[in-house]
Amino acid sequence: MSNILISPLLFRKIIMQLLFPPGGIILSILLIGVLFLCNKKKLATILMLFLMIFLYLLSSWFGEYIFLRPLEDDYGFLQENTMEDMNLANPVLVVLSGGITEESLSGKAEIGEITLARLYGAYLIYNRSKYPIWVTGGILFNHKGATSSATIMKQVLINLGVPFDNVFIEEKSRTTYENAIFTIEEIKKQGYKEIILVTSALHMRRSVLTFKDSELTIIPAPVNYLFENKNPDILSILPNRESWEHNLRALHEWIGLLYYRIL
């Protein structure tokens, strides 16, 4: 029998799915059940209470305040007058992919909502600056199609009115870390000095960490803010789907930050 080789990326994906909700929740429930069967009722009760509190935070506005808000508070929205005051030497816009979707019937790949929000943010900056745009993102892991995220992103920008010759693609990367490695390599060849980095606000801290380079100036341009800084109402205090989705994304970022810190 031939050995089954698991790539580091696949291994990381497996671990993430086991630890990340819902996988981590299922494992926690199984552990609690085993503890009860082993007459470790006190420990099982403590773990059950901890799990209930965690699930409540993960699905409410309070969780967004704890998990999401700190990530989005790192960098403010890039104002037009801010760019004018920077006296940039040779800047370029870099837009990170947030994923694509695949239609089940046609199999045709389409732009994902997160990626579209990032592209629109970059388009608004482009309209003010006319800086060239690099879009970065390869064929996503486990994606059946043969079209890279960057190829689709470029077409969206062209459809918005950005000239074909002003959009460049990097289509080998599959992770944020690879986005930085491959894009910086190409940008240095072109002689750019500043990167105006466009990605979701909650993704910006990890992106700046990975794109940090001694030869380039990184200018964060966060878009697609999720946290609403307002007094919560009864519906946002109760468990709700929107907070659940926002907090899962934030939790993914915290785990990613921990992973990159360990590397």
Side-chain angles (χ1 to χ4, degrees):
M1 182 182 294
S2 60
N3 294 329
I4 299 177
L5 298 178
I6 299 180
S7 68
L9 182 57
L10 175 57
F11 179 75
R12 177 183 153 201
K13 294 285 186 181
I14 292 173
I15 297 299
M16 286 287 288
Q17 285 196 204
L18 288 175
L19 298 179
F20 203 72
I25 296 172
I26 294 172
L27 290 178
S28 298
I29 294 173
L30 288 174
L31 176 59
I32 291 170
V34 170
L35 289 173
F36 271 117
L37 290 174
C38 296
N39 290 320
K40 303 287 186 179
K41 294 182 180 180
K42 184 176 181 180
L43 180 57
T45 302
I46 293 173
L47 289 177
M48 185 168 59
L49 288 173
F50 176 81
L51 180 61
M52 291 173 63
I53 293 171
F54 176 72
L55 288 177
Y56 169 70
L57 288 176
L58 206 60
S59 58
S60 71
W61 179 90
F62 294 110
E64 292 190 58
Y65 189 84
I66 295 171
F67 301 122
L68 176 62
R69 180 191 58 83
L71 292 172
E72 295 196 337
D73 276 354
D74 280 347
Y75 305 98
F77 183 76
L78 185 63
Q79 303 290 338
E80 183 175 1
N81 58 347
T82 303
M83 285 194 298
E84 293 176 352
D85 294 339
M86 286 180 181
N87 295 319
L88 304 180
N90 193 10
V92 60
L93 283 161
V94 172
V95 190
L96 306 189
S97 170
I100 57 177
T101 60
E102 185 176 351
E103 293 182 348
S104 58
L105 295 179
S106 67
K108 180 182 178 181
E110 292 187 343
I111 201 72
E113 292 180 6
I114 297 173
T115 306
L116 183 60
R118 296 175 184 180
L119 287 174
Y120 182 68
Y123 170 73
L124 294 179
I125 297 174
Y126 173 82
N127 271 347
R128 304 195 306 261
S129 65
K130 304 304 179 184
Y131 298 145
I133 304 175
W134 275 83
V135 290
T136 170
I139 298 175
L140 300 183
F141 189 80
N142 264 1
H143 184 70
K144 298 177 182 178
T147 307
S148 69
S149 295
T151 299
I152 301 173
M153 291 167 72
K154 177 170 183 173
Q155 188 58 54
V156 170
L157 288 172
I158 292 172
N159 290 343
L160 286 173
V162 181
F164 179 91
D165 294 338
N166 231 14
V167 185
F168 306 89
I169 65 173
E170 179 289 303
E171 54 182 348
K172 296 185 295 183
S173 58
R174 296 170 296 173
T175 65
T176 302
Y177 183 75
E178 290 182 353
N179 285 154
I181 295 295
F182 298 137
T183 306
I184 287 176
E185 179 183 350
E186 293 297 326
I187 281 176
K188 284 184 175 180
K189 290 179 182 178
Q190 302 297 324
Y192 295 112
K193 300 300 181 183
E194 301 95 0
I195 291 178
I196 299 176
L197 190 60
V198 182
T199 189
S200 301
L202 71 86
H203 186 233
M204 185 58 77
R205 184 185 297 191
R206 183 155 58 104
S207 301
V208 170
L209 178 65
T210 54
F211 271 80
K212 188 176 181 180
D213 187 277
S214 60
E215 299 178 28
L216 297 168
T217 300
I218 307 300
I219 303 168
V223 298
N224 189 213
Y225 285 84
L226 300 177
F227 181 73
E228 296 184 15
N229 193 13
K230 63 179 184 180
N231 293 327
D233 56 27
I234 184 63
L235 294 179
S236 58
I237 290 175
L238 292 173
N240 63 88
R241 178 179 175 179
E242 184 177 77
S243 292
W244 174 265
E245 293 175 350
H246 290 176
N247 285 325
L248 283 182
R249 288 181 58 186
L251 191 61
H252 176 82
E253 288 304 315
W254 286 114
I255 294 174
L257 281 166
L258 178 62
Y259 177 79
Y260 288 148
R261 292 290 185 184
I262 294 174
L263 283 179

